[in-house]
Amino acid sequence: MRKDMYKVIVERPRAWKGGYEKAARLRDDHDGPTRLGMRAGYGYRDLNENLAPLRRYLLSQVGRPWDKVFSEICTGIDRRNTVQQHIHQHIDDFIAIRVGMRDDQPIDLSENGLFHAGRAGMRQPLYVDPRTGLIRVNKNWRNFRNAYAERKDQEGAELNARRRMLDERTVLLRVNDLWFEVKLAKLPACREVVDMVQGRRRTKVIAEFRYDAVLRRKTSCSLYEDSQERKRVYGSRDLYAASKRQLSKRELKTHGLRE
């Protein structure tokens, strides 16, 4: 391991300023405090570590005993130093150290690992074999982009199996193993109303609700979770199911939904 690893990882300019919009409001508020600190008035910069060298180093140590690799890391990165200690906190992002076996499959026994186990399994590309103490490759690991793409492809295939688009405002949809003809309509756009409260400007979003026949609840353009579901099922966040009608046996045969 290179001796200046902590410099390569830590010494990089910090990223963009966080909370800039809130800071700008404080700075421009004439009725606010008469004095503001530099951070309060201009936001906060985020950390910007370059963790790629640490990831490449760990990947190059596959097959070696973890105790020896960790000893080399501690030699080059001193945990007594506050800045360098922060690097040790990122080691768990790349390799699972506390590992157990379940059905001949490795599982991460750390707190974060048990949190992710129910959703995506072991989240690190490497792990320490509990039987030999050697570093192994997690064959089931997928990076974020690949896992996201695979999940989207699977969701798209499942959706196409229960949806047929006839035109922009008509869709055939299978709900609870029954096929329906769903008529789509456009949701009313959200309106912003600006009021002055105690000399301060307040913006309020007003949304008109419509009953969605498929979701079976009232929805509007202001509900984020509903907008995501409408985008996935109807192809647009601005549409909702105004009505639905169950298809007859003849219509099912006509659309090739029944033999």
Side-chain angles (χ1 to χ4, degrees), residues 202-215:
R202 294 289 185 267
T203 302
K204 182 179 180 180
V205 177
I206 298 179
E208 297 184 24
F209 285 81
R210 294 291 186 271
Y211 183 80
D212 191 297
V214 174
L215 300 180

Side-chain angles (χ1 to χ4, degrees), residues 6-233:
Y6 72 95
K7 294 183 179 180
V8 176
I9 295 176
V10 176
E11 293 185 358
R12 191 164 73 165
R14 288 197 171 190
W16 60 281
K17 290 183 179 180
Y20 182 79
E21 294 182 357
K22 180 180 179 181
R25 288 196 300 268
L26 288 173
R27 193 169 62 249
D28 298 334
D29 188 359
H30 298 288
D31 297 329
T34 57
R35 291 184 178 86
L36 288 174
M38 290 297 295
R39 290 187 176 182
Y42 292 91
Y44 300 84
R45 287 195 178 276
D46 292 337
L47 295 176
N48 191 23
E49 303 99 331
N50 178 22
L51 299 175
L54 178 61
R55 175 179 58 83
R56 289 195 298 266
Y57 170 75
L58 291 174
L59 289 174
S60 66
Q61 304 304 309
V62 174
R64 293 190 60 200
W66 166 246
D67 291 341
K68 292 184 178 181
V69 174
F70 185 68
S71 177
E72 294 176 2
I73 294 176
C74 293
T75 302
I77 303 176
D78 190 358
R79 285 185 292 179
R80 294 171 297 180
N81 182 287
T82 303
V83 177
Q84 298 182 38
Q85 182 186 15
H86 182 69
I87 301 174
H88 280 266
Q89 298 174 357
H90 287 285
I91 294 177
D92 186 61
D93 295 337
F94 305 108
I95 181 169
I97 302 172
R98 295 180 54 197
V99 179
M101 302 298 293
R102 179 181 299 170
D103 298 330
D104 294 332
Q105 294 294 327
I107 58 172
D108 189 0
L109 298 180
S110 65
E111 183 177 352
N112 291 334
L114 294 176
F115 174 77
H116 287 272
R119 301 184 301 172
M122 191 178 295
R123 60 187 177 88
Q124 300 94 329
L126 302 173
Y127 69 96
V128 179
D129 194 322
R131 298 164 294 189
T132 61
L134 302 179
I135 299 177
R136 300 298 185 189
V137 176
N138 180 13
K139 297 181 180 180
N140 298 324
W141 178 79
R142 296 291 185 276
N143 62 35
F144 175 78
R145 292 183 179 179
N146 291 343
Y148 180 80
E150 291 177 1
R151 186 170 65 252
K152 285 297 181 182
D153 292 341
Q154 182 179 0
E155 291 177 357
E158 294 175 355
L159 182 60
N160 292 333
R162 65 183 188 90
R163 184 185 66 177
R164 301 290 188 276
M165 297 295 295
L166 299 183
D167 54 52
E168 294 182 355
R169 296 298 176 89
T170 308
V171 59
L172 303 182
L173 197 64
R174 187 178 65 189
V175 181
N176 297 330
D177 294 331
L178 298 175
W179 283 94
F180 293 86
E181 180 187 77
V182 180
K183 294 294 184 179
L184 305 177
K186 190 172 182 179
L187 278 171
C190 296
R191 297 182 293 108
E192 289 188 356
V193 177
V194 179
D195 295 329
M196 299 298 294
V197 180
Q198 296 181 353
R200 295 187 179 184
R201 181 176 177 176
R202 294 289 185 267
T203 302
K204 182 179 180 180
V205 177
I206 298 179
E208 297 184 24
F209 285 81
R210 294 291 186 271
Y211 183 80
D212 191 297
V214 174
L215 300 180
R216 301 180 65 180
R217 60 177 177 267
K218 290 184 178 181
T219 185
S220 72
C221 59
S222 63
L223 300 179
Y224 176 77
E225 293 184 357
D226 282 2
S227 66
Q228 294 294 100
E229 183 68 11
R230 294 195 304 268
K231 172 66 176 178
R232 188 180 68 87
V233 178

